[in-house]
Amino acid sequence: MLGFHHEIYNALIHDNPVFDSNSRIYQQPQSPEAFIHCELVTSEDLGTAASYFYQVWYAELRYENPVLEILDLRRRRTDAAIHALTISQHNAMTFLFTIQRGISHESI
């Protein structure tokens, strides 16, 4: 979990053009449906933010050779949620990424 926490922070939050530094990552070892929950805040529209998330997921965050990978996007009017299950030959991980619109402090 700690490794994914750092990877998510570096890929999606730190100095990111789409997701705000107010985004948060929570490790939830007691929650097998989402061992990591990441609340992503964006000033972009949800479609742009979700598309960017997928680009980063496939380029930087996923296992190199997943045995199984399921990404389930649920989009609502005010937010989006992506549930992810990824399994490698020796590991498995579950995630919940929520994307919500917010005001970036950088633009204030």
Side-chain angles (χ1 to χ4, degrees), residues 25-91:
I25 304 168
Y26 305 96
Q27 294 180 36
Q28 307 177 137
Q30 74 289 356
S31 184
E33 67 275 357
F35 286 129
I36 293 183
H37 177 197
C38 184
E39 296 174 346
L40 298 168
V41 179
T42 185
S43 58
E44 302 288 333
D45 67 82
L46 292 176
T48 299
S51 178
Y52 179 79
F53 167 84
Y54 279 106
Q55 290 174 12
V56 173
W57 175 266
Y58 287 110
E60 298 182 44
L61 294 175
R62 71 190 299 219
Y63 285 129
E64 188 172 313
N65 295 306
V67 174
L68 176 67
E69 185 173 76
I70 300 171
L71 298 171
D72 179 36
L73 171 64
R74 304 286 168 112
R75 205 165 150 198
R76 297 178 291 235
R77 194 168 48 95
T78 59
D79 64 358
I82 302 167
H83 283 90
L85 165 66
T86 185
I87 301 173
S88 72
Q89 187 174 1
H90 301 287
N91 296 300

